[in-house]
Amino acid sequence: MKAIRLHIKQNSANYKKEETVQNRMTFPLPPYSTVIGALHKACGYTSYHPMQVSVQGKYGSLKTKMYKDDCFLNSLNDDRNLLVKMKNPDMLSSAYQVVATAQKAQGNSFEKGITINVINEKLLEEYRFLKRTKRRIDKHKKIINKMKTRLKEMKADENISAEGVKEFDKRIKHIKAVYDEYEKVKYTIPYSHFRTLAKGPKYYELLCDIELIIHIVADENTMNDIMDNIGNLTAIGRGEDFVEVLECAETELFDVDEDVDYGEADFDVYMPVEYLEINKDDMDIISKTEGGYTGGTKYLMPKDYKTVQLKGGMRKRVFNRVPIIFCQLNYIENGCKGIMLDKTENGIYSVFLA
């Protein structure tokens, strides 16, 4: 079986676990999805090209760093944090102007001017005007509620014709539509440009001195594209997690036709659970972490995804997750099923394609 072998080094990287927030933890090696995404970007692909990937490697150390996090809250609060106005609210932009800052954790008011530092008086007055506009609109909307009460009375009154009831109902709907449109233009849209910004310290884990061996199996055209565009592979992980490609070579993968003793090899591997289940009596693995699963740490590793349409025009990525074991191989015996070997001048790599 033909494959591509990549030998890569990185000074540092964070392969973020998506469920972590306060401390952005990292996977010990890049997830399949991260590798596949980096290769697709390097090749300029705009649609998914199926491929199988095997990831193994090591890192020298792990450290935690602190950074200042800017978080836009889902709701606009009048009494805390920073009141800001987005510069380009209709675009995917995080640029903003600070309007005012709260002096205390709670009990402030941007609208009433209670314990705040005013940064932009003009924008603050715009914010206050919108709050007053909302109260005026709500006051006038009470007319609609009174009209709806009157409509119920008309329906119960036998002296009022059905045509008269229908005409009054039509009038209510027209007035409501006018108010709704007025509220949208004069309040809802301009008010949505103001946001609450919370600043605070957060942390992220950083792997250092990383060395990776990655095998890729795909159709011939895709593999040729990867070989031709490997110079465009600049990062794996975050945009600043730069890579040094030491080797990009075509290789041949073989079935396990001999016993392989890895001895003092120090590369960790992502092994899909299915390989362990069918070969557990023919291999020995070592775990570097406590509380592991059958000699290793178990992850549900993201590989590829499908886009699902949600309400309101929103879309969501639903990932295909592969159950894997993060471990280190001690030895494998001749005849192991599914596992492939890459025999090189520098040694034999076990390849666990997912």
Side-chain angles (χ1 to χ4, degrees):
M1 179 188 295
K2 289 185 178 181
I4 295 175
R5 180 180 63 252
L6 299 180
H7 187 185
I8 290 171
K9 280 193 174 183
Q10 292 181 275
N11 288 332
S12 61
N14 175 280
Y15 313 121
K16 188 190 173 205
K17 295 180 181 179
E18 62 269 36
E19 69 273 13
T20 59
V21 179
Q22 290 298 120
N23 179 22
R24 296 185 177 181
M25 300 175 68
T26 179
F27 285 108
L29 298 174
Y32 300 129
S33 58
T34 301
V35 173
I36 292 172
L39 293 173
H40 276 60
K41 182 179 180 181
C43 294
Y45 292 150
T46 56
S47 60
Y48 179 59
H49 288 235
M51 59 181 67
Q52 292 180 290
V53 178
S54 173
V55 179
Q56 55 190 294
K58 62 180 180 178
Y59 61 89
S61 62
L62 183 147
K63 59 184 179 181
T64 301
K65 298 190 70 174
M66 185 179 71
Y67 70 100
K68 184 180 71 174
D69 179 66
D70 289 352
C71 177
F72 294 100
L73 304 186
N74 292 330
S75 59
L76 178 54
N77 298 319
D78 183 63
D79 64 339
R80 66 196 71 182
N81 298 312
L82 279 74
L83 177 66
V84 302
K85 184 178 182 182
M86 308 306 293
K87 287 189 174 182
N88 298 293
D90 299 324
M91 302 177 64
L92 293 174
S93 171
S94 58
Y96 61 85
Q97 292 176 279
V98 178
V99 179
T101 62
Q103 295 180 358
K104 301 188 300 183
Q106 292 181 341
N108 317 281
S109 176
F110 295 116
E111 183 181 5
K112 297 177 182 179
I114 300 174
T115 58
I116 63 170
N117 292 324
V118 179
I119 307 300
N120 191 315
E121 185 70 43
K122 182 179 179 181
L123 292 181
L124 182 60
E125 185 53 41
E126 180 184 344
Y127 167 79
R128 291 169 173 169
F129 175 76
L130 291 172
K131 299 286 280 188
R132 294 194 296 269
T133 299
K134 175 61 174 175
R135 286 195 290 271
R136 288 198 300 269
I137 293 174
D138 290 343
K139 181 179 179 180
H140 287 295
K141 273 190 170 183
K142 291 180 179 179
I143 298 173
I144 298 176
N145 294 330
K146 293 179 179 179
M147 295 179 71
K148 287 182 178 179
T149 301
R150 174 57 183 159
L151 180 63
K152 291 181 180 179
E153 296 173 350
M154 292 175 64
K155 289 180 178 179
D157 193 340
E158 297 179 354
N159 297 322
I160 300 178
S161 65
E163 187 64 31
V165 172
K166 184 177 180 181
E167 187 66 28
F168 192 73
D169 184 35
K170 184 178 179 181
R171 181 184 174 192
I172 293 175
K173 291 179 179 178
H174 173 71
I175 294 175
K176 183 178 183 303
V178 171
Y179 274 130
D180 289 344
E181 181 63 23
Y182 181 84
E183 181 178 15
K184 178 182 177 182
V185 174
K186 297 296 183 179
Y187 170 76
T188 305
I189 294 178
Y191 188 72
S192 68
H193 298 170
F194 288 89
R195 305 286 296 274
T196 295
L197 175 66
K199 292 178 176 285
K202 287 189 179 181
Y203 303 87
Y204 65 91
E205 294 179 342
L206 200 63
L207 301 173
C208 301
D209 300 325
I210 305 161
E211 186 175 356
L212 301 173
I213 300 293
I214 299 172
H215 289 84
I216 306 107
V217 173
D219 62 74
E220 185 176 354
N221 290 334
T222 300
M223 292 174 66
N224 288 337
D225 287 342
I226 293 173
M227 294 288 292
D228 293 339
N229 293 281
I230 196 62
N232 297 328
L233 182 64
T234 57
I236 295 179
R238 305 169 301 170
E240 61 266 39
D241 296 334
F242 300 115
V243 303
E244 178 186 1
V245 180
L246 303 179
E247 180 187 32
C248 176
E250 289 186 353
T251 187
E252 190 74 25
L253 302 182
F254 301 92
D255 293 330
V256 182
D257 54 3
E258 60 179 293
D259 294 345
V260 183
D261 188 348
Y262 289 92
E264 298 180 357
D266 55 356
F267 275 3
D268 300 311
V269 300
Y270 282 163
M271 181 194 303
V273 172
E274 60 179 308
Y275 293 124
L276 176 63
E277 291 177 343
I278 61 177
N279 299 301
K280 58 184 177 182
D281 296 329
D282 300 321
M283 66 168 61
D284 182 38
I285 60 178
I286 306 170
S287 174
K288 286 188 174 181
T289 57
E290 296 180 0
Y293 169 88
T294 316
T297 304
K298 188 175 182 180
Y299 294 106
L300 280 175
M301 194 62 63
K303 182 187 176 185
D304 50 20
Y305 66 87
K306 292 183 179 179
T307 303
V308 177
Q309 193 72 33
L310 302 177
K311 292 181 180 180
M314 302 295 289
R315 295 183 297 173
K316 179 182 178 181
R317 293 178 177 180
V318 179
F319 276 89
N320 167 36
R321 297 182 181 273
V322 181
I324 65 100
I325 302 295
F326 171 66
C327 61
Q328 188 177 111
L329 284 173
N330 192 15
Y331 72 86
I332 59 175
E333 294 182 358
N334 181 11
C336 283
K337 299 177 181 178
I339 304 172
M340 307 295 290
L341 297 180
D342 181 15
K343 302 177 182 180
T344 73
E345 296 179 355
N346 298 322
I348 300 177
Y349 297 114
S350 293
V351 180
F352 300 90
L353 295 171

